[in-house]
Structure formats: structure tokens, C-alpha cells
Amino acid sequence: MSIQVQFITRLEKYSVPDTTLVIPCSSTNSQLEAILKGLLKPTVSSNDLSRLSFDFLCLNKLIRSSLEEHIREKDESLLESIISIEYIEKFQGPQPEDVLMHDDWVSACRSLADSILVASYDTKVHLWNNQGEHIISLPGHTAPVRSLAFIYSDDGEHEFISGSHDQTILIWKYDQNKNNVQSLITCKGHQGTIETLALQKSVFCSGSFDKTIKLWGLEEEKEKSSTKECRLTINAHNENVSSIGWTSTNELVSGSWDQTIKLWNMDTIQSTQTFKCGKAVLSLDISPVNGLLVCGFTDRFIRLYDTRLQEGYVLRSTFSSHSQWVSSVMWSRKSEYLFVSGSYDSLVKLWDTRSLKAPLYDLQGHEDRVLCVDWSMDQLILSGGADNSLKMFSFK
């Protein structure tokens, strides 16, 4: 059985004539690439062709099966039409760069500029540079550290926040050049582990096992106090708050073990929407590019939501490949399609939202549960786990 197709692309230097081709319905990615390279031969050198590799989009989704199977999933009647197949240049997968070992579980990680911040169950916050050199281990908490947020990092001066099982949040100012902690402010008020932190300009929010969300200011205390009280408390969920994030300057999103996701107007301190998910939410992240919300769940699935919709079906997509809980997710800061996930199945996966059934790449190496992932810097993917390691992957 055959089908009529046209190849289209946004890659100007690798464009082909706008003609209709008749190809087998059974064509897969490798066969489509062979056809395409045949069309490119007159205009692209053999050396360039040998190094090039392409991915193919049909009906706005990456082709991961035969062309016929791909189209039938959407609309069988389209097999009688002329189908447009868009080709894009396939990028190289993330490459392992380094492994940074710690004395206990790595529960959270963040990168900013050339610095890497790591939270560990050894009760310390660890600072590394992106060359894999350990800068310092900072004691301050009395129990495992669970959450982190960078405020600032430049020229050896670092400001960041950490949350712990000891029910406190610490606001740190560390001067690497002088090798001293310039200030350490303790934020008290939660009655449970601080699971998650989210920074927004001069304020930040914290989510806790005590089911609440608290809002805190970052302004300097007039009396230079070493302690800080929250500005307000939201009795947010019926179970512990597992993950939070800012969707805008005045809107917060929260996920919980009570199987709901909630949107909060932080001007009125009111919940504006509640999404019932059916499974406990472990992690969430909002794309700075497309505004979509990606979430990891205890049922091993990843779900994509458009929380901006006031009516209609907010669940956009479901991604399945992990075999255990999805503990951590994070979007690329630059691509509208790419995100990473970490799971208790010991795997980190790189996803494209146009490919629901299979990730682009599996990032292997962990020997125990993956507890955290980070993609704050475009060319560096981090993952930490219960094997006490922080993995560094370069992405170009």
C-alpha cells in the first residue's frame, strides 16, 4: 500500500523541491531519511549528508512507528490525502560529563551561571562549580535538606534558599572569595518538612508536609535579625504540598498528595482553579517558553496541562515510559518542546512533547532512585538520587 507525501522543512539550506512523492505506507524513520537524503544529494555534499540525521513530524507529532500506524492513530481517512511530512535536524543526545559523589542521598539540585547547588540527606548544602570541583559543604540544617532555590550567583558571591526536614528554611549569603557565610537567616513557621521552594523576584513561597504554603519576603530585616517570619500562610491542600511554581508574577500553582493541582491568585490569596488528577502529584514545572505545566505522578505517568484555559479540557497530553514514580520534572528554559524527568526506576529521560509514547533519550547511570532533576542552564542537565550521586550531562 502506498501514500502520497510532501516533504516540508524550516531548514532553508536543506530544503527540497515542493513535489508530491508516492512512498510505501510502511515507511519508518530510517526509510524516510533515506528517501530525503536521496532528494538532497544534488544540493548537499556527501560529507554533510553523512553527518546529518533527521527526525520527522506528521500531524504535529514525531513519527515513532510506521507512517501508516502513525496516521491511523489520528485519522484513518487521511491515508487517502496528500500528507505533509516536516523534517527537522536531529540533535545529539545529552552526554555524560561527570559524577559528583556525596555522603548521602542527593535530594535537590540547581545550577546557575557556573555554579551548582546540591541538597543532601547529610543535612548539608553543597556548592560545586560546573567543572565538577567542590567549593564547600555548608552546615546549617539539623536534618536532611529537601529543597533549594538560587537567588543570585556571580563572581564568587552566592545567595540561595534551602528547606529541610528540620521544618526550617535558611536564606544564605556565601562569599566564595572570602570563604565565609556573610549572613544566614532562619525562616520558621512550618510544622513539617519543607518539600518545595519557588522564587519570584523579592519574595518566595514554600510548600510543606504540613499541607500549607507560606509566602516570605527577601528584603533585609531592619534590625538585622537572624530569624524571619512569613508574610502569610495558605491552608492549601488536604495532604502534603509536594511541588509549587510561579506561573506569573502573581499566580502560583501547587501540586499535592491529595491528588489535586491548584492555581492561586497571590494578590487575593484565593484559589482560582482546582484540577482533580486521580493520583498524587510529586513534581511540577511551568515552561517559561510556552506556559504549559508538566507534572510527574505516583502512577508513573507524566501529564501536560494548559492551566490558562478557563473552560474545556486542560489535560493536553500523557507521557508513558517510566516504570515507577516520577519524582521530578523540569522544562528546558529555551525550547517549547523539551523537558526532562527523573523516576524511582533509576532513569532520567529527555522528552519532546511531540512524542508521547517514547522519550527522545534515556540518560542512564543511576544505581538507585532518581530524586531530582535540573535543567536551569541550557547546556547542562543535572540529576541526583538515592545512590548519593549527582550526574552531569552536557547538552548542545
Side-chain angles (χ1 to χ4, degrees):
M1 184 177 174
S2 299
I3 188 171
Q4 298 182 84
V5 302
Q6 287 182 338
F7 284 110
I8 60 173
T9 190
R10 301 175 196 179
L11 304 171
E12 290 186 10
K13 63 179 179 179
Y14 299 130
S15 61
V16 297
D18 185 15
T19 56
T20 300
L21 304 174
V22 178
I23 66 173
C25 279
S26 58
S27 298
T28 59
N29 265 32
S30 59
Q31 291 160 326
L32 291 172
E33 184 170 87
I35 295 168
L36 176 61
K37 286 188 173 183
L39 297 173
L40 288 170
K41 269 186 179 181
T43 56
V44 180
S45 71
S46 56
N47 284 340
D48 283 347
L49 277 179
S50 63
R51 68 169 181 80
L52 282 172
S53 187
F54 295 99
D55 254 327
F56 298 88
L57 289 153
C58 179
L59 306 175
N60 298 317
K61 297 295 181 185
L62 286 167
I63 298 173
R64 290 293 181 261
S65 58
S66 72
L67 191 53
E68 181 179 7
E69 290 173 357
H70 183 90
I71 294 170
R72 284 187 187 279
E73 285 188 4
K74 187 74 174 179
D75 186 348
E76 187 172 345
S77 66
L78 294 174
L79 289 168
E80 306 299 324
S81 308
I82 298 174
I83 298 295
S84 293
I85 299 177
E86 181 181 0
Y87 56 97
I88 57 177
E89 196 169 351
K90 185 182 289 186
F91 54 80
Q92 185 183 22
Q95 300 299 305
E97 284 294 315
D98 208 344
V99 179
L100 312 180
M101 295 304 300
H102 296 74
D103 292 332
D104 211 329
W105 293 1
V106 172
S107 48
C109 55
R110 285 291 181 265
S111 61
L112 181 63
D114 61 355
S115 300
I116 296 171
L117 205 57
V118 177
S120 174
Y121 269 58
D122 65 4
T123 75
K124 297 181 179 69
V125 176
H126 301 268
L127 185 65
W128 303 74
N129 65 25
N130 60 7
Q131 302 302 309
E133 297 169 337
H134 188 253
I135 307 301
I136 194 170
S137 296
L138 296 167
H141 288 289
T142 59
V145 187
R146 280 290 293 127
S147 48
L148 290 170
F150 252 126
I151 302 171
Y152 176 86
S153 180
D154 187 46
D155 198 26
E157 295 183 356
H158 312 277
E159 295 182 30
F160 50 89
I161 315 166
S162 59
S164 168
H165 277 291
D166 64 14
Q167 304 180 9
T168 69
I169 300 163
L170 298 180
I171 304 174
W172 304 78
K173 286 187 179 180
Y174 171 69
D175 191 326
Q176 186 175 327
N177 303 311
K178 297 178 181 177
N179 193 28
N180 70 353
V181 176
Q182 292 185 314
S183 68
L184 184 64
I185 299 172
T186 303
C187 305
K188 293 184 177 181
H190 278 297
Q191 302 300 310
T193 298
I194 288 83
E195 282 286 284
T196 176
L197 297 165
L199 180 69
Q200 175 64 43
K201 295 183 178 178
S202 61
V203 299
F204 70 92
C205 282
S206 55
S208 170
F209 254 80
D210 65 12
K211 309 175 188 177
T212 70
I213 296 170
K214 292 183 183 290
L215 177 71
W216 312 78
L218 284 171
E219 72 282 348
E220 294 287 343
E221 300 292 336
K222 291 180 180 179
E223 304 298 326
K224 294 293 182 182
S225 171
S226 62
T227 61
K228 182 186 287 285
E229 294 183 355
C230 71
R231 290 184 180 180
L232 59 90
T233 299
I234 304 172
N235 293 315
H237 287 276
N238 296 324
E239 297 292 344
N240 65 289
V241 181
S242 55
S243 193
I244 57 175
W246 293 91
T247 64
S248 66
T249 55
N250 67 342
E251 185 180 68
L252 191 79
V253 61
S254 62
S256 169
W257 279 75
D258 67 7
Q259 304 184 5
T260 66
I261 296 168
K262 293 186 177 184
L263 292 179
W264 302 91
N265 183 316
M266 296 305 287
D267 292 332
T268 62
I269 318 302
Q270 297 295 317
S271 173
T272 57
Q273 288 193 73
T274 298
F275 309 116
K276 295 180 180 179
C277 307
K279 295 294 180 181
V281 184
L282 296 179
S283 55
L284 60 79
D285 190 43
I286 304 96
S287 169
V289 183
N290 61 34
L292 298 177
L293 177 71
V294 65
C295 301
F297 290 86
T298 54
D299 64 354
R300 73 180 177 82
F301 292 111
I302 299 166
R303 294 178 176 89
L304 188 67
Y305 296 89
D306 191 344
T307 60
R308 299 164 298 186
L309 298 176
Q310 296 301 312
E311 297 180 2
Y313 201 57
V314 297
L315 177 61
R316 291 272 295 266
S317 308
T318 301
F319 302 86
S320 60
S321 179
H322 284 296
S323 59
Q324 296 188 40
W325 290 7
V326 182
S327 55
S328 188
V329 291
M330 192 168 192
W331 284 99
S332 161
R333 303 294 97 178
K334 289 189 176 181
S335 170
E336 64 180 302
Y337 302 115
L338 303 181
F339 67 89
V340 290
S341 63
S343 168
Y344 279 18
D345 62 13
S346 306
L347 291 174
V348 176
K349 294 176 183 284
L350 173 61
W351 297 86
D352 187 307
T353 56
R354 298 166 296 184
S355 176
L356 305 182
K357 292 185 175 180
L360 297 183
Y361 296 99
D362 283 349
L363 282 59
Q364 300 178 343
H366 282 286
E367 297 176 355
D368 205 333
R369 292 168 293 168
V370 176
L371 305 177
C372 57
V373 295
D374 177 78
W375 201 356
S376 301
M377 302 303 293
D378 189 50
Q379 296 188 341
L380 181 65
I381 296 173
L382 303 174
S383 62
D387 57 3
N388 302 355
S389 75
L390 181 84
K391 309 288 186 188
M392 299 171 61
F393 300 88
S394 62
F395 182 79
K396 298 176 181 178

